[in-house]
Amino acid sequence: MQMTSSAIRRDWKTEFEISPGTVFLNHASFGPVTRRGRLAAESLMERWGRLTPGPDVDDETFAMLASSKGRFARLIGASAAQVAFAPNTSYGLNAVLWGLNLRKGERILMPEVEFPALVYAVKNIAQRLDLTIEPLPCPRGYLELDILEKALARRSAVLALSWVQYFNGYRYDLEEIASLCHASSCFVLVDAIQGVGAVPLDVEQARIDALACGAQKWLLGQTGSGFFYIARSPVREVQPLEAGWLGVDWGYRFHDLKDWNKPAFEDGRRWEIGTYPFFSIRFAEAGLAILEECGREAAWEYIQGSLSHLLEDLQGSGYQPALLPDARHRSGILSLKGPRTREMHEHLHLCNVHTSFREGTIRVSPHLYNTEDDIAALVEAMRRFEAGG
Ligand SMILES: Cc1ncc(COP(=O)(O)O)c(C=O)c1O
């Protein structure tokens, strides 16, 4: 049964290819295959694969890129010019960090609990450029504003953090964070993959300087595509460190390529340095279309409804949220903890209920696809385990 919510107008389950009987509550790990995505990628493959006589496919292909990019940009309230494709989140984070032209001794702030995509990107650049990393204490499992404020009292070049914590679902108020950081001219770089596609975000309002996001989770895409965004007037200039033949303007005509003096694109395309993962982008675009049709607010309301349901159904259970912040700090992730959590997670898998095990908790992450029955199946499987069955 679809969740009782006025938010969404139709049953989205039919859009997904998950086998009947499988309860998939693991969007924070990866997005399941969408029918539309498969068809879109297959039709592109068909078009390219047949190699029959016909018009050059370049026009079509680059039009597809423009339309996909428009969708990525709309999702976060940006313009397409501010967005570049990237194969994953890590690429975008690295591109921005290296594009900042950081100098020896400059400081990067980062919460001490962070997903390794940021940790290793920051560690690497810090070692290579002799920068200082300041890990910010997170005694409650997330960065508190007074700790950030204290850290900002010393000049800091960048704050790098995830919008939503991968293991406890804590969601930062980016507007608050950016306003504190900007008062000290500190650049705000956000790993947004655990938030965008579940929670609506408007980058103009949040005023962060840059974000990166893979399409393989909440955006309902698959691996190999994603994007990053850079604000029109970031607190510090960002320029691509790398260049390549597709970052310059050939007018999408690739017949005469001996020109060494083509101008670089002025918009996000200057970051796109080589041949695109077309199939993956095409697949992701189909997922973005689903999100657009549903509406960002409606999708978020629906996800919250699923998690509220779960919380209600768990009353009296030995498994409770590891963290349950105020509504404005919640996300599509709810992590549960109880006795023998790892064994419970394994039991759920055996019951064909898919969640993930992160930092000692069972991470539940529903999306548009999930129904009341899915939540009921999860709770029932948990109860069986608790009852020793
Ligand atoms: C917060 C966060 N950042 C990044 C990633 C993944 O990074 P990438 O898209 O570079 O593989 C994940 C999960 O896989 C994540 O939870």
Side-chain angles (χ1 to χ4, degrees):
M1 202 196 312
Q2 189 85 18
M3 202 69 62
T4 37
S5 161
S6 56
I8 59 172
R9 291 183 308 275
R10 54 160 287 202
D11 178 355
W12 293 95
K13 193 159 187 151
T14 51
E15 294 277 355
F16 295 83
E17 290 197 346
I18 300 170
S19 310
T22 296
V23 176
F24 186 82
L25 290 161
N26 195 15
H27 285 266
S29 287
F30 58 93
V33 170
T34 59
R35 285 191 210 293
R36 281 193 215 195
R38 182 192 291 277
L39 286 174
E42 277 175 4
S43 73
L44 184 64
M45 215 169 273
E46 184 71 12
R47 177 83 180 89
W48 284 13
R50 290 204 174 271
L51 299 175
T52 47
D56 197 321
V57 290
D58 283 347
D59 288 342
E60 238 176 78
T61 313
F62 282 93
M64 181 275 279
L65 287 184
S67 112
S68 308
K69 188 176 281 186
R71 288 193 195 272
F72 278 119
R74 279 201 293 282
L75 189 66
I76 57 165
S79 80
Q82 299 167 279
V83 165
F85 288 116
N88 49 42
T89 320
S90 301
Y91 181 87
L93 296 173
N94 273 283
V96 174
L97 281 169
W98 283 96
L100 280 165
N101 196 17
L102 294 162
R103 300 289 174 180
K104 183 176 170 164
E106 286 200 282
R107 280 176 4 122
I108 303 185
L109 308 177
M110 185 166 58
E112 68 178 356
V113 282
E114 252 313 328
F115 189 81
L118 257 178
V119 172
Y120 284 89
V122 166
K123 258 186 75 182
N124 174 57
I125 193 170
Q127 276 162 5
R128 301 277 290 271
L129 301 184
D130 212 356
L131 311 172
T132 306
I133 305 176
E134 184 168 336
L136 304 177
C138 299
R140 293 172 199 257
Y142 54 88
L143 174 63
E144 289 160 89
L145 290 186
D146 56 333
I147 292 178
L148 174 61
E149 225 169 338
K150 246 182 246 151
L152 287 166
R154 284 178 59 204
R155 193 165 178 70
S156 306
V158 182
L159 168 72
L161 90 176
S162 292
W163 183 24
V164 169
Q165 286 272 17
Y166 72 100
F167 69 101
N168 62 20
Y170 185 88
R171 169 168 57 102
Y172 292 107
D173 181 329
L174 292 178
E175 206 176 333
E176 251 169 27
I177 298 237
S179 126
L180 272 182
C181 288
H182 289 170
S184 306
S185 301
C186 174
F187 187 99
V188 180
L189 170 61
V190 176
D191 171 342
I193 192 171
Q194 291 295 9
V196 175
V199 189
L201 173 65
D202 187 325
V203 284
E204 294 289 341
Q205 191 186 327
R207 306 204 32 225
I208 54 175
D209 297 289
L211 75 70
C213 180
Q216 71 268 27
K217 299 182 194 283
W218 299 94
L219 303 195
L220 309 176
Q222 284 298 314
T223 52
S225 62
F227 70 103
F228 60 105
Y229 152 87
I230 299 171
R232 243 179 242 105
S233 309
V235 299
R236 178 176 181 140
E237 194 189 15
V238 197
Q239 287 293 338
L241 190 71
E242 298 172 325
W245 75 287
L246 282 177
V248 302
D249 191 356
W250 300 95
Y252 297 131
R253 286 288 169 268
F254 305 112
H255 310 300
D256 304 300
L257 296 170
K258 286 186 184 155
D259 190 343
W260 286 29
N261 296 306
K262 284 287 182 202
F265 282 116
E266 304 233 319
D267 60 22
R269 286 172 296 180
R270 70 192 197 282
W271 298 83
E272 297 164 3
I273 57 177
T275 305
Y276 296 85
F278 291 105
F279 300 112
S280 181
I281 292 175
R282 190 87 182 86
F283 191 104
E285 188 188 2
L288 294 171
I290 294 175
L291 289 175
E292 271 189 22
E293 277 170 38
C294 174
R296 296 188 310 173
E297 295 292 341
W300 173 220
E301 199 182 305
Y302 188 74
I303 291 166
Q304 290 178 96
S306 298
L307 290 176
S308 303
H309 239 84
L310 174 59
L311 284 172
E312 273 167 34
D313 290 357
L314 280 176
Q315 276 176 19
S317 156
Y319 284 80
Q320 293 300 321
L323 183 76
L324 193 62
D326 293 349
R328 75 190 186 96
H329 291 296
R330 290 193 202 165
S331 65
I333 293 176
L334 186 71
S335 293
L336 304 173
K337 224 179 161 140
R340 299 172 61 222
T341 312
R342 185 186 282 277
E343 289 87 341
M344 169 68 95
H345 175 253
E346 281 163 14
H347 162 79
L348 291 176
H349 255 259
L350 293 176
C351 297
N352 207 9
V353 176
H354 298 260
T355 61
S356 42
F357 187 71
R358 292 285 183 278
E359 317 300 339
T361 67
I362 295 168
R363 184 176 68 176
V364 183
S365 47
H367 209 324
L368 275 184
Y369 154 85
N370 295 109
T371 61
E372 277 179 21
D373 293 346
D374 292 339
I375 301 297
L378 166 67
V379 174
E380 199 188 302
M382 292 180 81
R383 297 265 186 214
R384 274 205 306 275
F385 179 80
E386 284 188 282

